[in-house]
Amino acid sequence: MSHHASSTLTVPDAGDVPRHVAIIMDGNGRWATTRRLPRVAGHSKGVEAVRAIVEACVLRGVEYLTLFAFSSENWRRPPDEVSLLMRLFIVALEREVAQLRANGIRLKIVGDLSAFEPRLQTLIRNAEHRTAQNTKMTLTVCANYGGRWDILQATRAMLEARPDLAADPSRIDETDLAPHLAMRHAPEPDLFIRTGGEQRISNFMLWQLAYSELYFTDAFWPDFGAAELDRAFESYRARERRFGRTSAQVATPAELPGP
Ligand code: IPE
Ligand code: IPE
Ligand code: MG
């Protein structure tokens, strides 16, 4: 069950360091192409960048880091690239889990995992299990994930658990749906980052990004390191998160009137 505050129902607390950072890791292919390397070289380099950002986030006190690794639309890529991405994912899981475990990081893999080969599904379950007790930071990797998939699967799960709601849909509210979302273990992202220059959401966390601060950088993912992360955090610190209120209300928070 989720006990995280909803940004549309209450005004969340916000500190200088984002509690939850969600990243679309884009630009691996172009990083490689500009170096006359095959796209796969960019994906390999991208795995190294993940390692560095995980470490940097832990050091800065981030509690939740969520990374978009493979979208429900990425199956449209050439079969060779898709199978290479799967292989990289398998190798990364095999190699990194011990380190995550030792560093106190809880790993979650979120998405429609039924599409993956059985060996990968087993690896995922084991990796989650082996890190489940960790509390320093939660690293969520979104694989075969789509924001629309999540809202639809949550709706189905909600109606299965509560068939009475189907008979009276006017009673359905956010708090009925939220506990069934794939990201229910995390609060909503404070900061969203997309590397690679595109300014779009590409079916990432559609529900949870409602009030996230958005940050876009031209840096390709393999070039995104701790210095780039600090630039994003600096931008985040300068934002005024109003959640629907006026600036004056943010300056002197008082009782919130209802709608
Ligand atoms: C992001 O990099 C990684 C995945 C989507 C798996 P891309 O592979 O999309 O890189 P570009 O956008 O083609 O440069
Ligand atoms: C988004 O990147 C998905 C991931 C980073 C996993 P894409 O490169 O697939 O996004 P589009 O197709 O350019 O929107
Ligand atoms: Mg891309």
Side-chain angles (χ1 to χ4, degrees):
M1 285 286 129
S2 169
H3 21 255
H4 294 295
S6 156
S7 60
T8 49
L9 298 179
T10 60
V11 175
D13 292 330
D16 275 351
V17 173
R19 192 173 166 220
H20 183 177
V21 179
I23 307 182
I24 298 186
M25 311 182 287
D26 197 18
N28 290 350
R30 281 163 289 160
W31 180 91
T33 309
T34 57
R35 285 165 177 74
R36 299 171 187 277
L37 295 168
R39 290 178 56 85
V40 304
H43 296 314
S44 302
K45 200 76 182 166
V47 176
E48 291 176 34
V50 168
R51 218 174 278 132
I53 287 301
V54 168
E55 191 186 331
C57 282
V58 168
L59 286 173
R60 283 155 184 76
V62 171
E63 291 174 58
Y64 298 86
L65 172 63
T66 301
L67 302 175
F68 203 5
F70 192 85
S71 77
S72 41
E73 289 71 44
N74 285 144
W75 298 107
R76 295 170 182 163
R77 293 193 177 196
D80 281 0
E81 181 166 343
V82 170
S83 58
L84 185 114
L85 283 166
M86 292 301 147
R87 212 157 47 235
L88 269 181
F89 191 25
I90 289 173
V91 170
L93 277 174
E94 284 173 336
R95 282 198 192 146
E96 309 292 337
V97 171
Q99 200 62 33
L100 293 176
R101 186 176 151 104
N103 291 337
I105 298 166
R106 173 171 72 143
L107 181 67
K108 291 270 195 190
I109 313 287
V110 154
D112 182 2
L113 306 181
S114 68
F116 295 137
E117 56 174 280
R119 181 162 88 97
L120 182 48
Q121 293 188 39
T122 305
L123 268 174
I124 288 171
R125 270 195 304 274
N126 290 345
E128 287 187 331
H129 185 71
R130 287 181 61 202
T131 60
Q133 304 308 319
N134 286 344
T135 55
K136 196 172 246 175
M137 185 175 84
T138 298
L139 170 63
T140 305
V141 175
C142 297
N144 194 22
Y145 173 90
R148 290 187 180 179
W149 163 82
D150 194 12
I151 292 169
L152 284 172
Q153 71 76 25
T155 305
R156 291 186 200 113
M158 175 189 74
L159 291 176
E160 248 168 61
R162 294 279 313 278
D164 57 301
L165 289 175
D168 191 1
S170 67
R171 280 172 44 221
I172 301 175
D173 65 27
E174 266 194 37
T175 57
D176 295 310
L177 188 73
H180 299 284
L181 290 164
M183 289 297 305
R184 60 184 169 270
H185 60 281
E188 295 169 30
D190 300 291
L191 175 62
F192 160 96
I193 298 173
R194 182 173 186 142
T195 64
E198 313 296 351
Q199 304 198 354
R200 55 177 173 251
I201 302 290
S202 299
N203 198 15
F204 196 27
M205 305 165 71
L206 298 179
W207 177 277
Q208 295 84 353
L209 291 173
Y211 266 110
S212 306
E213 297 298 327
L214 307 181
Y215 180 86
F216 298 94
T217 169
D218 288 338
F220 295 138
W221 174 250
D223 292 326
F224 189 89
E228 290 285 338
L229 185 72
D230 285 334
R231 228 161 283 158
F233 283 14
E234 202 178 301
S235 167
Y236 174 79
R237 271 196 301 280
R239 312 278 179 102
E240 183 179 63
R241 305 191 70 192
R242 291 193 286 277
F243 298 103
R245 299 163 300 169
T246 66
S247 268
Q249 289 175 298
V250 175
T252 42
E255 278 296 292
L256 270 186

